Amino acid sequence: MTTSNTISNQPELLPATPQKSERNMGVELFRIVSMLLVILLHVMGHGGVRAYSETLSTNYMVAKFLEVMAYCSVNCYAIISGFANVKSKFKFRRFVHLWLETVVLLLGVTAFVHFFIPSVEVTKDWWLNALMPLSRRELWYLCAYFFMFPLIPLLNKGLLSLKRWQHIMIIFWLQVPTIFKLIRHTDNYALSAGYSAIWLICLYVIGAYFRIYGAPKWAKWFVTLPIFLISTAIPWYKFIYIETQYREGLLEKTSEIYKYSDDLISYVSPFMVIMATSLLVFFMQVKIRFKPTKVIIANLAKATWGVFVIHVSSAFWYWDDLWHSFREFAKYPTWKMLLAVFITVLAIFFVTAFITIDKIYLFKLLRIDWAIEWLADLPGKLSARIKQKRAEKTEQSAQ
């Protein structure tokens, strides 16, 4: 792989109709890496690998480092959204397609678990969550994206009209509340720890900047990757240091320092923003020349949203026998724990990606994409027909 400044023409962060113009395959690879980080975060957290490691043991510290490293994953997705959308034509049908894809995947996973995994009791709420994904807590990103989506054309028009220095000023302006939150530990800006449309917009502006102006000349891989690692190490070290002080009896559990020991490990942490930005700048310069590799990356990138939907679906998320089994990794030797975690992450990704890719081709076979396009174009066609009839009547009246 070599570096290049090729600009991506993929219309959006989430699955969308492919464009004829060539996409930035480095950013497509970044989508895949971001989803792997999401799964890693869930395996370490929801899977309990870190929580079930002996406190301050080697496994504990390594697991915590991986968790911190993966915490920027959601920010990565939002930044990719700005990069991919700012110069793209806006179409409401994209969200319709996204919603339909989400429902189909959720219903499919719920049905599979209901009929083939008897140890999991599928409840009525799980079926309702599948039919109404915007009410699903674990699908908060879809809910936030739902509110941001209709604002995209306004954001794009405004951002494209700015001068470069104005765009930079807005980026820093929108990040100021994250500093206030670190200092005062209060959220007066409705950031909701990053689980909000407002935060997605803040990150969208950053991604849009790099799409419009490209990567800085100085931002080579030997700059961006160390920045990423240092930005990971600082929050990790603070957490481990304070935890060590508490275990040695030098800090009380009720002290403010201990209470906010993980305040740098948050979606709205400046370090997580720097991590996501450095990864975007790195991957947007990656150039992949081998055609078969491009095809593989393109297909896996299209499947990333489906991977997310499937593995946080109620039926999969509350499959306790599966998730609780990951706790055993904490008891392994460190090298074996790392190997087990990485194999698990890859297995979840590729199995769910395969299901999603099958769904994509099924949609094409059943012409569902065509139906969505036809329905989306229908109001415009009806409006044009009405205008034509009015013009004909006016012409007849004049005669």
Side-chain angles (χ1 to χ4, degrees):
M1 293 187 294
T2 57
T3 57
S4 171
N5 286 322
T6 307
I7 298 299
S8 170
N9 289 301
Q10 174 68 10
E12 60 175 326
L13 150 70
L14 303 169
T17 304
Q19 300 296 301
K20 293 182 180 179
S21 51
E22 187 176 354
R23 292 172 289 175
N24 184 321
M25 298 311 297
V27 175
E28 298 306 296
L29 180 60
F30 186 28
R31 297 176 192 270
I32 298 169
V33 172
S34 299
M35 182 49 58
L36 288 169
L37 290 175
V38 170
I39 299 172
L40 174 61
L41 180 64
H42 290 161
V43 169
M44 305 310 292
H46 186 59
V49 177
R50 197 264 299 173
Y52 280 80
S53 298
E54 183 182 349
T55 304
L56 296 180
S57 64
T58 302
N59 279 8
Y60 181 90
M61 290 190 283
V62 170
K64 188 62 183 180
F65 188 86
L66 292 177
E67 189 176 44
V68 175
M69 183 178 69
Y71 227 94
C72 71
S73 54
V74 172
N75 289 354
C76 292
Y77 264 88
I79 283 179
I80 291 173
S81 182
F83 184 92
N85 277 296
V86 70
K87 289 188 176 182
S88 299
K89 186 177 180 180
F90 178 80
K91 295 179 180 179
F92 278 106
R93 71 190 68 170
R94 288 175 183 161
F95 195 87
V96 175
H97 186 279
L98 175 68
W99 179 87
L100 181 61
E101 177 185 20
T102 302
V103 170
V104 169
L105 288 173
L106 290 175
L107 287 174
V109 173
T110 305
F112 176 84
V113 171
H114 176 70
F115 290 109
F116 296 102
I117 305 178
S119 62
V120 179
E121 183 182 354
V122 176
T123 67
K124 179 182 177 181
D125 285 340
W126 293 9
W127 290 106
L128 292 175
N129 288 337
L131 289 169
M132 296 182 290
L134 290 174
S135 66
R136 177 90 165 91
R137 179 178 175 272
E138 280 72 21
L139 282 170
W140 69 266
Y141 192 97
L142 180 67
C143 302
Y145 193 74
F146 172 78
F147 279 100
M148 186 184 78
F149 187 78
L151 300 177
I152 286 177
L154 299 177
L155 289 170
N156 291 350
K157 189 171 184 179
L159 293 172
L160 290 170
S161 68
L162 295 174
K163 294 180 180 179
R164 187 170 188 168
W165 69 268
Q166 292 174 321
H167 200 147
I168 293 172
M169 285 296 296
I170 289 174
I171 289 174
F172 283 103
W173 191 292
L174 293 177
Q175 294 302 314
V176 167
T178 67
I179 306 298
F180 293 159
K181 190 174 187 302
L182 286 179
I183 297 172
R184 299 290 298 170
H185 302 296
T186 57
D187 182 9
N188 298 323
Y189 300 89
L191 296 179
S192 301
Y195 297 88
S196 69
I198 293 176
W199 182 241
L200 296 191
I201 291 172
C202 293
L203 297 171
Y204 185 99
V205 174
I206 297 175
Y209 173 85
F210 290 103
R211 172 67 185 276
I212 296 169
Y213 300 106
K217 292 182 179 179
W218 53 265
K220 306 301 182 182
W221 68 267
F222 50 82
V223 176
T224 53
L225 293 185
I227 288 175
F228 172 78
L229 292 174
I230 292 170
S231 299
T232 303
I234 292 174
W236 171 82
Y237 179 78
K238 179 188 176 183
F239 178 87
I240 295 297
Y241 177 78
I242 293 176
E243 187 69 28
T244 303
Q245 293 289 299
Y246 167 69
R247 296 295 170 180
E248 292 178 353
L250 301 176
L251 278 178
E252 295 291 335
K253 197 169 187 177
T254 55
S255 67
E256 188 170 343
I257 294 177
Y258 185 83
K259 182 179 179 182
Y260 297 111
S261 61
D262 61 350
D263 58 351
L264 299 182
I265 308 171
S266 164
Y267 295 151
V268 297
S269 165
F271 289 95
M272 299 303 149
V273 176
I274 293 171
M275 289 165 65
T277 303
S278 62
L279 285 179
L280 172 66
V281 175
F282 169 76
F283 279 104
M284 66 184 282
Q285 298 180 87
V286 172
K287 186 176 181 181
I288 299 168
R289 299 183 181 277
F290 195 43
K291 190 172 181 179
T293 305
K294 288 184 177 182
V295 173
I296 293 171
I297 291 174
N299 280 281
L300 290 176
K302 291 177 187 177
T304 51
W305 177 249
V307 171
F308 175 73
V309 169
I310 292 172
H311 93 272
V312 301
S313 64
S314 296
F316 195 94
W317 192 255
Y318 297 116
W319 184 358
D320 291 339
D321 290 344
L322 175 67
W323 289 97
H324 290 176
S325 66
F326 301 153
R327 299 173 181 177
E328 294 298 315
F329 299 166
K331 302 175 184 178
Y332 296 167
T334 304
W335 70 268
K336 190 175 180 181
M337 179 192 76
L338 285 171
L339 182 61
V341 166
F342 291 141
I343 290 175
T344 299
V345 169
L346 291 174
I348 292 174
F349 177 84
F350 283 109
V351 170
T352 53
F354 178 77
I355 295 170
T356 304
I357 291 171
D358 284 347
K359 184 279 310 170
I360 291 172
Y361 286 104
L362 179 63
F363 270 33
K364 288 183 179 180
L365 181 65
L366 299 177
R367 303 195 71 184
I368 292 176
D369 293 335
W370 175 86
I372 293 174
E373 295 284 329
W374 184 83
L375 289 172
D377 292 336
L378 187 59
K381 291 179 180 179
L382 291 176
S383 177
R385 183 172 296 182
I386 291 172
K387 288 181 179 179
Q388 183 180 2
K389 287 185 177 180
R390 286 179 179 174
E392 290 174 355
K393 288 183 179 179
T394 302
E395 186 178 349
Q396 291 176 358
S397 299
Q399 293 175 354

